[in-house]
Each structure stands twice: as C-alpha cells, then as structure tokens.
Amino acid sequence: MLLQSLLGEFEHEVTSTRKLLQAVPQKDLLYKPSPISWTMGELAQHIATIYYWYAGTLTKDVYDISADSLERGDTLNLFEQNVEKARTALKSITEKDLQQPWTMKVGERIVLGPMPRGIVARGFLFNHIYHHRGELVVHLRATGNRVPGMYGPTYEDSAGGK
C-alpha cells in the first residue's frame, strides 16, 4: 500500500519538478541570494541529482554516496536520466523492502541511519526534493522569473499577479 502511494506521488511530483527546472533561465544560473547560498544553477543540478540517489537508497542496504560516479551536464537531461533510474528502482522494490534498515555513508563515515528504507524514501528523497524546489521558487521570483504552477495557479496566474 505504501509503495503504491510512493509511486503515485513520485510520478505526480516528477511532472512538477520538470516544470520548475524548465523555468530556470540560462541568464540567471549564477544568481544566488546570499554569499552562502547555492547559485540557481547549482540548486537545479542538486535537485536533478537527488533523483540519482533513489537507486542507491532503494536497492542497497548501505549506500556509500562517495562511490557514485554521477556525470554532470545539462540539468534537464540529467534530471530525465535520473528520473528513469529512480522510477526503475521504485518499481523494483516491495513493501517488505521499505521496512528494511538502510544506512548512508560517505566513505567510512555514517551520515544517515540506520533507519527503515521507507522512512528514508520520504525524508531523504521526496522531502529533500520538495525543500530544494521551494528554494528554487524563491530564486526564480527574486530574479523576476515566472514560477510555473505545480499545485494549481501561481500568484502570477491569479488576478493578484496581473
């Protein structure tokens, strides 16, 4: 039951994430709201990269993120490639797999876990993306760019934004 819910949410939110990444203009990739913030381009790349982490998170009991060899590149292409990997990983697991303990490491250092994989899927994968999408919305608005509607009309689409 949980797995079906995760799959449904995944597919719905991929569409929203795609819209948001498509709204990032080349001219504003280097914008950052403060010296300690990521640039808009870095933030978009990070969001696309999180989808890459689904496979390691969902198919390995211990995921060493430092062992990844993710290639960087065009954000939308990276996003689409990683979504396919994430989708495949989500479709390969069972409800029982969601109960299994999972740990994330960077080399020998444990950075997350152990905890049930289902909790990690929600907190580390899904919610992590939502958090950074919110940041990206702020970046877009701060640079005068239009924010796409992800859950209905945006302020810009409403009477108040016209």
Side-chain angles (χ1 to χ4, degrees):
M1 186 69 166
L2 175 60
L3 185 54
Q4 284 306 107
S5 294
L6 290 175
L7 280 164
E9 181 177 345
F10 175 83
E11 293 300 339
H12 180 264
E13 296 299 335
V14 158
T15 300
S16 293
T17 302
R18 182 179 294 111
K19 286 183 196 177
L20 189 61
L21 292 177
Q22 288 170 336
V24 174
Q26 187 75 27
K27 70 178 181 56
D28 292 324
L29 290 178
L30 297 178
Y31 169 78
K32 60 185 195 175
S34 76
I36 62 169
S37 297
W38 283 352
T39 67
M40 192 180 311
E42 290 167 334
L43 191 53
Q45 281 273 309
H46 183 62
I47 291 167
T49 299
I50 295 170
Y51 286 96
Y52 181 83
W53 297 342
Y54 275 71
T57 300
L58 297 174
T59 64
K60 298 177 183 179
D61 293 335
V62 177
Y63 179 35
D64 182 356
I65 199 164
S66 68
D68 280 344
S69 59
L70 177 65
E71 291 182 28
R72 301 282 180 197
D74 173 70
T75 300
L76 286 172
N77 283 337
L78 180 66
F79 166 76
E80 296 298 348
Q81 291 168 10
N82 291 340
V83 163
E84 282 307 312
K85 291 173 186 167
R87 184 178 286 123
T88 298
L90 267 169
K91 289 181 176 181
S92 75
I93 63 172
T94 65
E95 291 282 336
K96 185 177 178 183
D97 292 329
L98 293 174
Q99 303 307 314
Q100 299 304 310
W102 177 88
T103 302
M104 175 190 254
K105 295 169 59 178
V106 175
E108 294 303 312
R109 185 172 56 98
I110 294 174
V111 293
L112 191 60
M115 63 179 64
R117 186 175 278 115
I119 292 172
V120 173
R122 291 290 316 144
F124 175 64
L125 298 174
F126 285 68
N127 293 346
H128 193 164
I129 289 169
Y130 306 151
H131 160 74
H132 288 303
R133 284 189 342 197
E135 289 181 306
L136 190 53
V137 165
V138 171
H139 281 56
L140 286 169
R141 283 217 167 104
T143 53
N145 291 291
R146 189 169 190 80
V147 174
M150 294 183 286
Y151 302 108
T154 63
Y155 174 78
E156 293 89 348
D157 295 332
S158 71
K162 294 181 179 179

